[in-house]
């Protein structure tokens, strides 16, 4: 979104792409056309997203004037239609009201209307239901799914609520300390998690362990991601960690039955000896950008084994990819942020 302010920065070697367009190299002026026009965002707290001294209608009209060259009666009429589209009753009257006159659920609907005003290709929803009660939360989730279907837009849904992920996501990217540690289609992730962190998250869901008196927890503290990781950030809390995890940064490798199910863990590929998996992960840690993507292809895994004095057949497929590309739908793929993100611990 281009909203990171100093001293925060996006590292030069980073890559953020939308429909093949590299966003990290854009100027602020170019970003303005992308922000709102191509990408829109719904934030966690709708009240802080709305300016309290302007009417809801004025704030929607401002987006229409900036990105769609509408003004006057035309812009106001479109603002009313947008409020109707997100389920706000008596929209013609509500358009002239201020944010404090809306309920929490209605404010979130108004924020969604603002995001849709510019007809974006991608809608990023950052914990959009956290501040809402369960009934209103369900209504907002239903609304987002309707919008995704009707407007054919991608939705990236960022949340810590595993129940929400199961309901709205098509594909999930699980993040820990600022890094994607596992990504997979939602059904496969819940049925067959591979990364120890994902396994810990799912084991802590009430109802999944009916035979235990206490819910399992992930022991330890979340590390502060203030520097580039040269090792597995989860190692201090991982029940399966070993010495090499403290010095080698894991690459994404194919796991499970689906070709697009990957995990960044030195335990994989499972059918290779641990020494050989560590050797290949270590080799990938020395590469960045496109080189790292190439290093994740299946052909390179047997190459590492040959370098270690062992010959074997390829594992996986050539189109393995470790990038956490935003996608379409309600998650980090065909369902937008289905993914885990936000707080470093989820």
């Amino acid at each position: 979104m281009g909203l990171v302010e100093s001293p925060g920065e996006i590292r030069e070697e980073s890559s953020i792409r939308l429909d093949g367009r590299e966003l990290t190299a854009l100027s602020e002026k170019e970003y303005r056309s992308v922000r709102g026009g191509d990408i829109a965002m719904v934030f966690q707290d709708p009240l802080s997203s709305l300016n309290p001294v302007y009417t809801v209608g004025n704030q929607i009209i401002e987006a229409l004037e900036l990105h769609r060259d509408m003004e006057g009666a035309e812009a106001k009429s479109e603002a009313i239609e947008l409020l109707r589209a997100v389920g706000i009753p008596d929209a013609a009257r509500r358009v002239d009201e201020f944010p404090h006159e809306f309920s929490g659920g209605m404010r979130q609907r108004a924020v969604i209307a603002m995001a849709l005003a510019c007809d974006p290709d991608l809608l990023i929803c950052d914990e959009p239901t956290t501040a809402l009660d369960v009934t209103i939360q369900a209504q907002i989730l239903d609304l987002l799914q309707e919008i995704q279907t009707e407007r054919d837009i991608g939705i990236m849904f960022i949340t810590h609520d595993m129940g929400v992920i199961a309901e709205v996501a098509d594909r999930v990217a699980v993040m820990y300390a600022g890094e994607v540690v596992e990504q997979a289609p939602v059904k496969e992730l819940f049925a067959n998690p591979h990364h120890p962190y994902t396994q810990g998250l799912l084991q802590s869901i009430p109802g999944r362990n009916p035979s235990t008196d206490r819910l399992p927890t992930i022991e330890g503290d979340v590390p502060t991601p203030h520097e580039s990781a040269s090792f597995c950030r989860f190692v201090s809390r991982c029940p399966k960690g070993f010495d090499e995890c403290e010095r080698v940064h894991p690459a994404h490798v194919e796991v499970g039955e689906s070709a697009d199910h990957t995990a960044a863990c030195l335990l994989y590929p499972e059918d290779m000896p641990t020494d050989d998996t560590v050797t290949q992960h270590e080799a990938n840690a020395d590469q960045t950008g496109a080189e790292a993507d190439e290093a994740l292809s299946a052909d390179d895994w047997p190459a590492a084994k040959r370098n270690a004095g062992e010959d074997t057949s390829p594992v996986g497929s050539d189109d393995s990819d470790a990038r956490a590309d935003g996608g379409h739908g309600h998650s980090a793929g065909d369902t937008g942020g289905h993914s885990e993100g936000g707080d470093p611990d989820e």
Side-chain angles (χ1 to χ4, degrees), residues 28 112 195 216 228 237 256 295:
E28 177 56 30
I112 293 172
H195 195 280
S228 297
R237 308 176 70 191

Side-chain angles (χ1 to χ4, degrees), residues 1-285:
M1 292 292 289
L3 300 177
V4 177
E5 297 181 353
S6 179
E9 64 176 357
I10 297 176
R11 295 180 180 274
E12 292 183 359
E13 65 271 17
S14 300
S15 178
I16 304 172
R17 297 180 300 278
L18 177 67
D19 289 335
R21 183 185 184 187
E22 181 58 55
L23 302 183
T24 58
L26 298 182
S27 65
E28 177 56 30
K29 182 178 180 180
E30 291 172 320
Y31 244 127
R32 287 196 199 101
S33 65
V34 173
R35 192 164 46 232
D38 297 323
I39 306 175
M41 190 162 186
V42 177
F43 291 95
Q44 180 173 342
D45 182 5
L47 190 57
S48 64
S49 301
L50 295 166
N51 192 321
V53 302
Y54 290 98
T55 66
V56 170
N58 280 339
Q59 296 177 67
I60 298 175
I61 290 170
E62 180 182 16
L64 294 170
E65 290 175 340
L66 181 63
H67 293 282
R68 294 176 60 181
D69 295 326
M70 290 185 180
E71 58 183 20
E74 181 187 17
K76 185 171 183 178
S77 176
E78 180 65 15
I80 293 172
E81 288 303 316
L82 285 166
L83 290 177
R84 287 190 182 125
V86 296
I88 292 182
D90 198 5
R93 178 175 62 86
R94 292 285 190 176
V95 74
D96 292 321
E97 293 186 343
F98 292 87
H100 71 271
E101 298 179 273
F102 279 42
S103 66
M106 288 177 62
R107 282 195 291 263
Q108 193 63 289
R109 289 174 184 270
V111 170
I112 293 172
M114 289 175 58
L116 297 176
C118 305
D119 196 21
D121 296 322
L122 174 65
L123 182 63
I124 302 175
C125 298
D126 183 6
E127 298 273 12
T129 60
T130 298
L132 307 175
D133 62 46
V134 176
T135 301
I136 303 301
Q137 180 187 82
Q139 293 175 3
I140 295 298
L141 293 178
D142 289 342
L143 172 63
L144 289 171
Q145 289 181 309
E146 290 174 9
I147 289 170
Q148 194 271 332
T149 301
E150 293 173 1
R151 294 177 176 254
D152 192 27
I153 65 174
I155 299 181
M156 178 177 288
F157 206 107
I158 303 169
T159 181
H160 298 95
D161 191 327
M162 302 300 286
V164 170
I165 293 170
E167 180 178 349
V168 305
D170 293 325
R171 183 167 173 267
V172 184
V174 181
M175 297 189 71
Y176 182 80
E179 293 186 305
V180 175
V181 296
E182 185 166 2
Q183 50 191 345
V186 62
K187 290 183 179 179
E188 180 167 344
L189 185 88
F190 276 79
N192 193 24
H194 277 69
H195 195 280
Y197 176 59
T198 310
Q199 293 170 352
L201 285 179
L202 295 179
Q203 288 171 2
S204 67
I205 297 176
R208 289 181 68 95
N209 297 281
S211 60
T212 60
D213 294 330
R214 293 176 61 86
L215 289 175
T217 60
I218 301 175
E219 302 296 334
D221 299 321
V222 182
T224 302
H226 62 277
E227 60 183 12
S228 297
S230 57
F231 56 93
C232 175
R233 284 194 169 119
F234 188 60
V235 62
S236 63
R237 308 176 70 191
C238 183
K240 301 179 181 180
F242 50 98
D243 291 344
E244 283 78 1
C245 298
E246 298 181 357
R247 66 176 184 83
V248 178
H249 188 263
H252 273 261
V253 297
E254 291 180 6
V255 294
E257 299 179 359
S258 173
D260 60 348
H261 186 178
T262 67
C265 181
L266 299 187
L267 295 173
Y268 303 103
E270 289 183 297
D271 58 352
M272 289 176 60
T274 300
D275 289 346
D276 291 339
T277 64
V278 171
T279 297
Q280 185 57 41
H281 281 278
E282 197 168 23
N284 278 285

